[in-house]
Amino acid sequence: MNKKMDMMAKLSHEIRTPLNSIIGLNRIISDNLNDSGKVEDCSKKIAVASDYLLAIVNNLLDMEQFSSGKASLNETDFSLTQLLNFLSVVFEESAKEDEIELSFTTSNLPEFVFGDKERLRRVLSNLLSNAIRYNKKYGHVDFIVENLGLSNGAYKIRFTVSDDGIGMSEEKVKNIFVPYSDLDTPDSDVIYGVGMGLSVASNIVKEMGGTINVSSAEGTGSTFWFEISLKVSEAFEGVADLEEKKELEGKTILIADDDSINCSIICHLLESFGCKVEATSNGKDAVALFSASEPNHYDAILLDIRMPEMDGLEACRRIRALGGEGSYCYEALEIPIIAITANVMDSDIEKSREAGMNAHLSKPIDPDELYTVLAASIAR
């Protein structure tokens, strides 16, 4: 019982810390709307705190799935360089807050690969977050990603995160990947968290066919590294340079989401890509709008899963059914339909696929991932 209470207490601390930052920084923005510099600075800090809070939620979900044996990889085509650039920008901002220098080095990396982007991001986020959190003032973190070669249709990629921070004792290194191992840390040693991140990261890397290695010494820092194979991507042959973000200009996207705030955010992102957007609040209306539209009017459809009247899964099934045997609506079978949802478990992703969806994007939506998935789906 005591260990459970310790876990809840530390978990509460881990969640409330970034939540307090987000609430407080939002108040500062409200009080300084005319100070563009302060607003921009607070916005960056909110992004860092939000990513940290999201990492805690993801770790909890992954821990549950791995402990129940229900975890599986959700492999898709994605931009590896885009993912790494995103992580370097986010964690450079976090490192600056603690007066730590972060260096990011890559070697001969492929632009696009096929693998589980979301879980790879979680592994790297856990390693980078720890390297910064357990460092010293004016410390240094090295983030190195190397392409070790191509074999049997897959790239061998090595990821290394090292720091010159507080390091760990031999005893702690032995248990570093054990779930909730930090619960045994004395309360006075407040630097440690719950002990989920590295356990989750280790399980993910094992699922990907690799092993996380660690070398550490107290007072001198730690180095974590692992190697995994990422398959060659064949989905982006018709996609232009994603950094230019011109591939979606003029495309018409239908979106159905019953949450008005989430819907407005996604509409804003799509419009920033140059898309034309038509939005509705439930799956039934989405089916009706698609059915009544002129051929090739829509280039893609984004559906929330949980909606009133008709959910996204049923809406997808009904749209696909419009192109069934004896029908001339071939577009119903070919148009990209993508889930945009807070349902993030592996079983949810499988349900989306079974319903006929082309991809499954988890909320909060990553703008780069939204763009990449849409561009690749429409180009096929």
Side-chain angles (χ1 to χ4, degrees):
M1 181 61 71
N2 287 338
K3 191 162 187 175
K4 182 177 181 180
M5 291 302 297
D6 286 345
M7 182 188 76
M8 295 304 296
K10 288 196 173 185
L11 185 58
S12 175
H13 174 271
E14 292 296 292
I15 292 174
R16 288 174 183 273
T17 298
L19 192 58
N20 180 68
S21 298
I22 293 168
I23 295 171
L25 289 164
N26 188 60
R27 178 62 183 269
I28 293 174
I29 289 176
S30 298
D31 293 343
N32 295 273
L33 293 176
N34 295 324
D35 187 338
S36 60
K38 183 161 287 188
V39 169
E40 181 180 3
D41 179 60
C42 288
S43 296
K44 289 180 179 178
K45 291 175 180 176
I46 286 174
V48 172
S50 299
D51 284 334
Y52 183 76
L53 186 57
L54 180 60
I56 294 172
V57 174
N58 286 334
N59 283 340
L60 283 168
L61 292 174
D62 276 337
M63 184 72 78
E64 173 59 28
Q65 290 193 95
F66 280 110
S67 64
S68 63
K70 296 179 180 179
S72 61
L73 298 180
N74 177 33
E75 296 184 314
T76 59
D77 297 283
F78 69 94
S79 170
L80 177 61
T81 55
Q82 196 175 69
L83 169 61
L84 296 175
N85 288 334
F86 167 80
L87 288 171
S88 66
V89 170
V90 168
F91 285 99
E92 275 178 6
E93 188 65 30
S94 178
K96 284 179 184 177
E97 289 298 309
D98 295 328
E99 298 184 83
I100 293 169
E101 182 182 358
L102 172 65
S103 65
F104 173 46
T105 307
T106 62
S107 175
N108 195 32
L109 296 181
E111 172 70 21
F112 302 108
V113 294
F114 182 84
D116 193 328
K117 174 187 175 181
E118 184 58 34
R119 284 208 166 95
L120 176 58
R121 174 164 57 184
R122 292 178 199 175
V123 172
L124 296 174
S125 293
N126 276 317
L127 296 181
L128 288 166
S129 177
N130 284 346
I132 294 170
R133 187 178 187 185
Y134 301 147
N135 214 311
K136 306 169 184 174
K137 192 173 182 179
Y138 308 123
H140 190 91
V141 174
D142 286 309
F143 179 27
I144 304 170
V145 186
E146 307 164 88
N147 178 10
L148 302 182
L150 177 63
S151 179
N152 298 321
Y155 301 100
K156 192 77 168 181
I157 309 294
R158 175 185 290 160
F159 300 87
T160 305
V161 176
S162 61
D163 65 75
D164 55 3
I166 63 173
M168 295 177 287
S169 65
E170 289 185 16
E171 189 62 31
K172 185 160 186 65
V173 169
K174 291 178 183 178
N175 299 309
I176 195 65
F177 300 117
V178 176
Y180 307 118
S181 59
D182 284 344
L183 293 178
D184 297 324
T185 302
D187 291 339
S188 59
D189 197 354
V190 295
I191 192 169
Y192 293 114
V194 179
M196 291 187 298
L198 287 176
S199 176
V200 168
S202 177
N203 281 319
I204 290 174
V205 172
K206 284 180 182 177
E207 193 75 16
M208 293 178 170
T211 302
I212 294 185
N213 303 282
V214 57
S215 173
S216 185
E218 283 188 288
T220 61
S222 304
T223 297
F224 290 84
W225 73 96
F226 64 94
E227 297 174 7
I228 57 172
S229 294
L230 294 171
K231 299 173 188 175
V232 174
S233 170
E234 299 178 356
F236 290 90
E237 294 180 358
V239 179
D241 185 358
L242 294 178
E243 294 299 322
E244 297 181 8
K245 285 189 166 51
K246 295 181 179 180
E247 198 69 17
L248 296 179
E249 288 183 359
K251 303 298 183 183
T252 301
I253 312 298
L254 173 61
I255 175 174
D257 193 325
D258 65 309
D259 188 299
S260 59
I261 296 177
N262 282 326
C263 190
S264 64
I265 291 171
I266 297 170
C267 286
H268 169 75
L269 291 174
L270 293 172
E271 288 167 354
S272 73
F273 300 154
C275 298
K276 301 172 186 177
V277 184
E278 295 181 23
T280 184
S281 60
N282 64 76
K284 185 177 180 180
D285 287 348
V287 176
L289 286 168
F290 178 79
S291 300
S293 66
E294 294 293 321
N296 300 314
H297 175 69
Y298 296 113
D299 295 285
I301 302 172
L302 303 180
L303 297 175
D304 185 23
I305 297 299
R306 295 189 179 183
M307 294 184 288
E309 296 192 55
M310 184 184 294
D311 65 33
L313 298 177
E314 182 59 25
C316 181
R317 294 188 194 99
R318 295 201 183 189
I319 290 173
R320 296 301 190 205
L322 295 173
E325 188 175 350
S327 169
Y328 292 98
C329 187
Y330 302 115
E331 181 188 357
L333 297 176
E334 298 175 355
I335 188 168
I337 303 179
I338 299 166
I340 45 168
T341 176
N343 294 7
V344 299
M345 304 297 279
D346 292 333
S347 57
D348 297 318
I349 297 171
E350 186 59 32
K351 288 176 183 177
S352 294
R353 288 172 174 162
E354 290 174 353
M357 293 190 178
N358 299 78
H360 184 107
L361 298 181
S362 302
K363 294 177 181 177
I365 297 297
D366 180 331
D368 287 334
E369 185 175 21
L370 174 62
Y371 185 91
T372 302
V373 170
L374 266 177
S377 299
I378 291 173
R380 288 176 180 172

